[in-house]
Amino acid sequence: MPPLSLHVPEPKFRPGDAVDFADVPIPPAGAARRPDTADAARDFTDLAYTMVRVLDEHDQAVGAWNPRLSPDTLRRMLRHMATVRAFDERMFRAQRQGKTSFYMKSLGEEAVAVAAAHALDAEDMCFPSYRQQGLLIARGCPMVDMMNQIYSNTGDKLQGKQLPIMYSEKRFGFFSISGNLTTQYPQAVGWAMASASKGDTRIAATWCGEGSTAEGDFHSALTFATVYRAPVIFNVVNNQWAISSFSGFAGAEATTFAARAVGYGIAGLRVDGNDALAVYAATAWAAERARTNAGPTLIEHFTYRTEGHSTSDDPTQYRSAGEPTAWPLGDPIRRLKDHLVAIGEWDEARQADMDREVAEEVKAAQKEAEKNGVLGHGLRQPLDSLFDGVFEEMPWHLREQRQMMIDEETASGRPWDRK
Amino acid sequence: MSVTIEQAVDDTTTRMNMIQAINSAMDVTMARDPAIVVMGEDVGYFGGVFRATAGLQKKYGKTRVFDTPITECGIIGVAVGMGAYGLRPVPEIQFADYIYPALDQLVSEAARLRYRSGGEFTAPLTVRSPFGGGIFGGQTHSQSPEGIFTHVSGVKTVIPSTPYDAKGLLIAAIEDNDPVIFFEPKRIYNGPFNGHWDRPAENWSKHPGGEVPTGYYKIPLGKANVVRAGEAVTMLAYGTMVHVCAQVVADTGVDAEIVDLRTLVPLDIETIEASVKKTGRCMIVHEATRTSGFGAELAALVQERCFYHLEAPVERVTGFDTPYPHSLEWAYFPGPVRIGQALKKILKD
């Protein structure tokens, strides 16, 4: 027998390589069957290995998953996605200008969050990761508030305690973001279990990236969800990359992420994540399944992380620069726009007007937020707020340390001016 | 025993062991607050491997008292989500030795949720877990990991030493809006343990701490209990070691002041400071391993605050810096001999 050999996955294309995604299987739009929301989870194996797609190559909405949304709804979704993109661009630039320390774009993944937000009820609770800013935009969170958080300025209701983009927006059913990956998964299940135990009608939805499915919390969440038939939607945003690691390091060479659901007894759907109509339809389906006590659903959104991981990342160091443009599922905003044009509900002039309006809105919000200060311009928070909120009431040792800090500042010669 | 009864609804008391007192605490609070849910491995139908949740599922139903899959990170993660919804979960980790898979959820999530969300979300959990040795539990049924949690900002750590304290402190913990780690010294579930493993076991029937109000009362978190007033030396202890210290004091006749800390975070520094300034000597006793244990924090605080009153170096009597052994348990356990020798040493100077 030959000696054993260790398989270490390697992405197909590295910097400098020509990109050809021809062997990424992309099933035709409209081909996937649409099961009943009450169907048993064991019957979803085929759907976990194919892809729910609605928009075809002629920009038409086809097949059983076509959610038949009104043109007004489609235009609202388009505008929200365009707003997310404009917001991302503006904040990315703000980081480069030194106005904040950090930012993460969602370029190419706008449909995943925006379409889901449209398919959920406003009262449903979202447990997002750090790349679902589209949920906030689509749910109407003022961009000024989001920017205040990014700038850690006087308007930041998190008091400058959190890294930029780690929003918390209870008003908009958006759970506090943690830097620790996938911890929100079992939390979403717990929220959903609580809702069910109280006879509520609200459901929970949670998001993680494909890389984070490797975390133990992913397993514990799916186990709890199936055991208690929790009304929760698990979203796995498979954007192919976890910082520099391609999806093979989360197990994608061997199977799909939707297929993981089947082993847990959870309905699994694999969806074209750049097809806003497919994302909407799958989310609405999963929401109905959850709301009717038929149990949880896992949706894998097959998409592509067009930009670097964050402002601290340079993707040209580990992947081919040709990947984003060669990605076979295209751009989610362009595809929805082309669909609206194809059905006679939109045109290039209106698109250009909308883009201009959206850019103006973002710019105006930024101007407004910067009145509250930016990170680079000295302290923006009351110094002693550093000790607030560790506990409900401040114990003696924190009161003592707060006084130490105040004394230290006073002695510094430049009190209250630390950057 | 000088303890405070807060808001006692009636003055009926009865004899309870610590398990019964803990069970009663959950029963009393669950009857008052429908948001309280009890969850964990084997806690539902079966009533817990130590019987702490016996009868609760039958009384309050399966949606309020339920068995969970064997996944500690899931138990705590789900409890955090339930707390965010508005429930008040009381998850059980079957042994403190098995709390480590849940550390990420406790340290990164529960402890920081209020802080990181500007108070929008909180984690009003009480994590109950049997802890400590003296039961031939070996490496993974004997540990005392309190020092791991006292190091985490945002969680409170509570350890009772009697049935009376266990009930009053647990009710206070459950009603507290911050996450609380509630370690139950399983060696004293059935009776106080004085460290003399070779003598017959005692039960709670004769100990004053075994007389427990049947109704609702709270012992405030952050308040220590001076279980024996004395002048010669201050002994700081919690859990099982309170009883071991008391026995050593009775055996040696040393006029020691024994302070049962009850809550490690937030610590009752005033009681500690007053005692050490009075006695001039301080000995810290815990089962947990020595290096970076909670005793190190206590020693540092006493040194900082009572330096000019100290007549001898602060003494620490602890478990050794080894994993908890099985057959060599009584060589490892900080028992009467080790504490007695330390007492002699600290009183010699």
Side-chain angles (χ1 to χ4, degrees), chain A residues 242-254:
Chain A
I243 308 185
S244 74
S245 303
F246 88 115
S247 58
F249 284 99
E253 284 183 339

Side-chain angles (χ1 to χ4, degrees), chain A residues 157 161-162 168-170 176 178 180 183 186-187 190-191 198 200 217 220 228 386 388-389 392 396 400, chain B residues 34 67-68 71 77-78 81-82 85 87 104-105 108-109 114-117 120-121 177-178 267 269 305:
Chain A
K157 65 186 164 66
K161 286 169 173 158
Q162 269 281 47
S168 179
E169 284 292 353
K170 196 172 190 177
S176 158
S178 169
N180 294 60
T183 50
Q187 292 164 1
W191 196 97
K198 288 291 173 190
D200 201 341
D217 275 333
S220 73
Y228 302 99
L386 191 151
D388 293 342
E392 186 174 39
W396 65 270
E400 280 195 2
Chain B
D67 294 309
T68 63
T71 161
V78 161
M82 289 179 153
Y85 179 90
L87 300 187
D104 191 31
Q105 286 288 347
S108 311
E109 303 294 319
R114 177 191 298 278
Y115 191 77
R116 79 170 195 231
S117 70
E120 278 197 339
F121 298 97
N177 289 326
D178 293 314
L267 187 66
I269 194 67
R305 287 162 184 269

Side-chain angles (χ1 to χ4, degrees), chain A residues 25 99 131 137 188 206 227 243 382 388:
Chain A
K99 292 175 176 175
R131 223 184 289 278
I137 299 279
T206 185
V227 167
I243 308 185
D388 293 342

Side-chain angles (χ1 to χ4, degrees), chain A residues 80-350:
Chain A
H80 286 149
M81 286 161 67
T83 305
V84 173
R85 187 164 292 183
F87 184 94
D88 278 356
E89 275 174 26
R90 200 95 200 160
M91 289 297 99
F92 189 91
R93 212 177 326 146
Q95 191 276 338
R96 291 297 189 242
Q97 291 166 340
K99 292 175 176 175
T100 185
S101 61
F102 184 74
Y103 193 71
M104 295 175 105
K105 285 178 152 186
S106 62
L107 188 67
E109 301 173 34
E110 294 90 347
V112 171
V114 169
H118 280 259
L120 294 169
D121 285 353
E123 292 76 25
D124 293 335
M125 187 69 188
C126 297
F127 289 76
S129 80
Y130 46 70
R131 223 184 289 278
Q132 282 79 50
Q133 51 265 58
L135 294 171
L136 286 175
I137 299 279
R139 285 187 160 189
C141 181
M143 285 189 280
V144 179
D145 292 348
M146 296 169 70
M147 289 170 174
N148 285 339
Q149 196 280 328
I150 290 164
Y151 288 142
S152 282
N153 63 20
T154 54
D156 174 15
K157 65 186 164 66
L158 306 187
Q159 299 173 296
K161 286 169 173 158
Q162 269 281 47
L163 190 70
I165 74 158
M166 303 281 182
Y167 311 106
S168 179
E169 284 292 353
K170 196 172 190 177
R171 300 171 292 171
F172 298 102
F174 188 99
F175 188 70
S176 158
I177 295 178
S178 169
N180 294 60
L181 297 176
T182 328
T183 50
Q184 71 277 10
Y185 251 55
Q187 292 164 1
V189 176
W191 196 97
M193 287 172 65
S195 180
S197 76
K198 288 291 173 190
D200 201 341
T201 58
R202 296 177 291 166
I203 64 169
T206 185
W207 286 259
C208 77
E210 91 286 347
S212 308
T213 62
E215 293 282 5
D217 275 333
F218 181 82
H219 165 72
S220 73
L222 268 62
T223 302
F224 259 86
T226 195
V227 167
Y228 302 99
R229 220 172 288 168
V232 61
I233 304 172
F234 296 113
N235 294 280
V236 174
V237 185
N238 178 5
N239 66 12
Q240 314 302 322
W241 290 93
I243 308 185
S244 74
S245 303
F246 88 115
S247 58
F249 284 99
E253 284 183 339
T255 185
T256 71
F257 296 96
R260 303 225 190 283
V262 178
Y264 288 95
I266 290 174
L269 299 173
R270 194 159 173 267
V271 169
D272 176 349
N274 291 10
D275 178 344
L277 296 186
V279 172
Y280 181 100
T283 307
W285 184 96
E288 183 186 316
R289 183 173 173 85
R291 260 186 255 285
T292 53
N293 285 309
T297 301
L298 185 150
I299 305 172
E300 174 185 348
H301 302 268
F302 197 68
T303 181
Y304 186 83
R305 195 194 77 208
T306 307
E307 279 275 355
H309 168 69
S310 72
T311 48
S312 307
D313 180 42
D314 174 9
T316 65
Q317 299 297 307
Y318 51 79
R319 72 183 188 188
S320 170
E323 284 197 17
T325 45
W327 184 246
L329 294 175
D331 176 83
I333 295 182
R334 190 191 51 71
R335 284 174 67 189
L336 183 56
K337 182 203 90 176
D338 289 349
H339 172 58
L340 272 162
V341 172
I343 61 174
E345 292 289 345
W346 199 243
D347 56 51
E348 294 298 339
R350 290 170 81 181

